[in-house]
Amino acid sequence: MSARSFRIAAAIGLVLLLASCSLIYGRSIDRPLVYYVRNVTVMADLKVPLDLIESVDRRVSAAIAATRAPQGAERVVLLVKIDRLGYGEGARRSLAQARFTVTATSVETGEPVAQGAFTVNSATNDPRWARQALAEEIAARIRFAFSLTTPRIRKVVAPRTISTRLKTDPAPVIVPSAAPVKPQATVVEPTVVAPPPVVVTTPVNPAPPEPAEMAAPPVRAAAPAQPARRAADIAKGTPVEQGAVGKIRLRPDCDPAVTANCAAAP
């Protein structure tokens, strides 16, 4: 009986030892933890939209940058893994729901020091804003678990002006500002550029070639002279070529045979 009781006690002690080890090195995040968070990594499978992963990473990174480093806190990095993306149950069946796991790993040892699983629901069922609302819910849960500061939207405040004028001083005279003088455009006269002179080149006719020496016409042989004919052989009434004698009457009222100056008289 004692041996059995000893074995039971040893088993219970081993279970308690393992539980203590899990609480020390991988305790669940059930309350805000104080760590010097240096960086965050968000990962998921292909079923999770990429814009949701980027939105969670951007929000948590902004919270880490806005958090003041606690004195003496252990330096860790966060690994956020989105395990499931779906819809809620019951009254939340129309709201988007996400289940994710956060693991804090020590920078010095590389071992996990805290781990927790969370389930969050979107604050709206509008498809246009469901993913952004779900990303904000995931980032808000991580900020609460690791005591991170919520980043604020920067507001640009107009600088305050300090006046050195006393209350007893007269009110300043405000001179209306004159209308701005528009600069007149400078008229630049166009510069007339003379066209280059046109040189007309007269085509030079080539010199005519020198006339070639012409050959002398052939000299025909002179016809044999005909013997002179006697006057007795020339009969009257024959053609002139045959030696005929004729008269030429210049005017019908003047006969050279009768009047000596027939050619000169009118």
Side-chain angles (χ1 to χ4, degrees), residues 70-103:
Q71 296 293 333
E74 186 177 3
R75 298 186 302 170
V76 298
V77 292
L78 301 181
L79 175 62
V80 181
K81 183 178 183 299
I82 302 176
D83 302 319
R84 179 182 176 275
L85 186 64
Y87 291 91
E89 298 177 357
R92 300 178 180 177
R93 61 180 177 272
S94 61
L95 301 179
Q97 185 182 81
R99 295 180 182 178
F100 61 98
T101 304
V102 184
T103 303

Side-chain angles (χ1 to χ4, degrees), residues 151-155:
R152 297 182 179 180
I153 301 176
R154 182 181 178 183
K155 296 182 180 180

Side-chain angles (χ1 to χ4, degrees), residues 191-199:
T191 304
V192 179
V193 180
V198 180
V199 179

Side-chain angles (χ1 to χ4, degrees), residues 57-139:
D57 185 272
R58 182 174 63 253
R59 285 172 167 82
V60 178
S61 299
I64 294 173
T67 303
R68 180 179 298 179
Q71 296 293 333
E74 186 177 3
R75 298 186 302 170
V76 298
V77 292
L78 301 181
L79 175 62
V80 181
K81 183 178 183 299
I82 302 176
D83 302 319
R84 179 182 176 275
L85 186 64
Y87 291 91
E89 298 177 357
R92 300 178 180 177
R93 61 180 177 272
S94 61
L95 301 179
Q97 185 182 81
R99 295 180 182 178
F100 61 98
T101 304
V102 184
T103 303
T105 304
S106 175
V107 176
E108 285 78 8
T109 62
E111 296 181 357
V113 295
Q115 185 177 10
F118 307 95
T119 302
V120 295
N121 296 277
S122 175
T124 177
N125 57 357
D126 191 344
R128 297 176 299 175
W129 313 106
R131 293 181 183 176
Q132 297 298 327
L134 192 60
E136 179 60 29
E137 292 294 331
I138 295 174

